[in-house]
Amino acid sequence: MHKLINMAIVFVLVALQLPHSTEATEHPVDWIIYPEGASFYSSFASKTTFKPNDTLVFNFTTGTHNVVTVSKKNFEACNVSDVMEAFNTGPVTFTLNRTGMFYFTCAFPNHCSLGQKLSIDVTKASSSSSLAPSPSASRAAMPLAVTVTVTLPVLIVALAT
Ligand SMILES: *[C@@H]1O[C@H](CO)[C@@H](O)[C@H](O)[C@H]1NC(C)=O
Ligand SMILES: *[C@@H]1O[C@H](CO)[C@@H](O)[C@H](O)[C@H]1NC(C)=O
Ligand SMILES: *[C@@H]1O[C@H](CO)[C@@H](O)[C@H](O)[C@H]1NC(C)=O
Ligand SMILES: *[C@@H]1O[C@H](CO)[C@@H](O)[C@H](O)[C@H]1NC(C)=O
Ligand SMILES: [Cu+2]
C-alpha cells in the first residue's frame, strides 16, 4: 500500500513596508563650545536636511550649558535676555514641529558669542511621488520601501510502506 503525502507549504510574503522618507529623523548634537566657534554649527546645519517632526537631541551636562530658543534678531546679536523657550536639563529633545527657521543658543554668559549657536531651516519633506527629478544629492533621499518575499519550496513527502 502506498501512501502519498503531499505537503505543500508555501510561505508567500512577509512584506515589510518600512516607513517612507517622511519618517522623522533624530539629529544628535553635542551641545558644547567648539574650538572653531560658530562655524562648527553652521557647517553641521548646512550639511543636514531637517524635516518637520525631526528632533534635535542636544547632549550636554546639566548646569554647564542650556538650550534656549530666541528670535532671529537676538540670535544674530547673541542677546539672551529675552528667550522664547529655555531647557535647562540635559539632554534636551526638541521637536522641529513646523517648517521655517529655529534659532538655538546657550544662555550661559558668553557661550553664544563663543559660537554655541545653531540656526536650523526646516523644509518640507520632498514627496516621493514627485515627477520632477530630484536636484538633491542628499543621501537622505533614498527610498526606504522594502518588500521582502520569503518563499519556501513546496515540500513533497512520499512515504511508501
Ligand atoms: C508631525 O507629527 C504630528 C503629530 O504626531 C502629525 O500630526 C503631523 O502630521 C506630523 N507632520 C509631518 C509633516 O509628518
Ligand atoms: C553625552 O555627553 C556625555 C558627556 O559629554 C557623554 O559622556 C555621553 O556619551 C554623551 N551621550 C551621547 C548619547 O552622545
Ligand atoms: C536684548 O533683547 C531685549 C528684548 O528683545 C531688548 O529689550 C534689549 O534691549 C536687548 N539688549 C541689547 C543689548 O540689545
Ligand atoms: C510647536 O511647539 C511650540 C512649543 O511647544 C508650540 O508653541 C507651537 O504651537 C508648536 N507649533 C505647531 C505648528 O505645532
Ligand atoms: Cu553653553
Side-chain angles (χ1 to χ4, degrees), residues 32-85:
I32 59 174
I33 299 167
Y34 288 90
E36 60 265 56
S39 68
F40 176 89
Y41 289 111
S42 52
S43 165
F44 160 72
S46 65
K47 282 185 304 203
T48 311
T49 301
F50 301 94
K51 309 179 303 296
N53 286 353
D54 281 6
T55 53
L56 291 168
V57 182
F58 294 90
N59 185 27
F60 62 93
T61 305
T62 302
T64 64
H65 299 284
N66 70 357
V67 175
V68 296
T69 57
V70 294
S71 68
K72 178 177 201 255
K73 194 177 163 208
N74 285 339
F75 181 84
E76 284 165 356
C78 274
N79 179 348
V80 294
S81 67
D82 183 25
V83 306
M84 299 188 296
E85 296 163 286

Side-chain angles (χ1 to χ4, degrees), residues 95-135:
T95 301
L96 301 165
N97 65 352
R98 54 166 173 80
T99 57
M101 297 300 299
F102 288 83
Y103 298 94
F104 302 95
T105 186
C106 174
F108 278 59
N110 291 323
H111 286 203
C112 180
S113 45
L114 289 170
Q116 195 178 11
K117 57 194 300 196
L118 171 65
S119 64
I120 296 290
D121 186 5
V122 178
T123 53
K124 263 188 174 170
S126 61
S127 166
S128 56
S129 61
S130 169
L131 294 176
S134 170

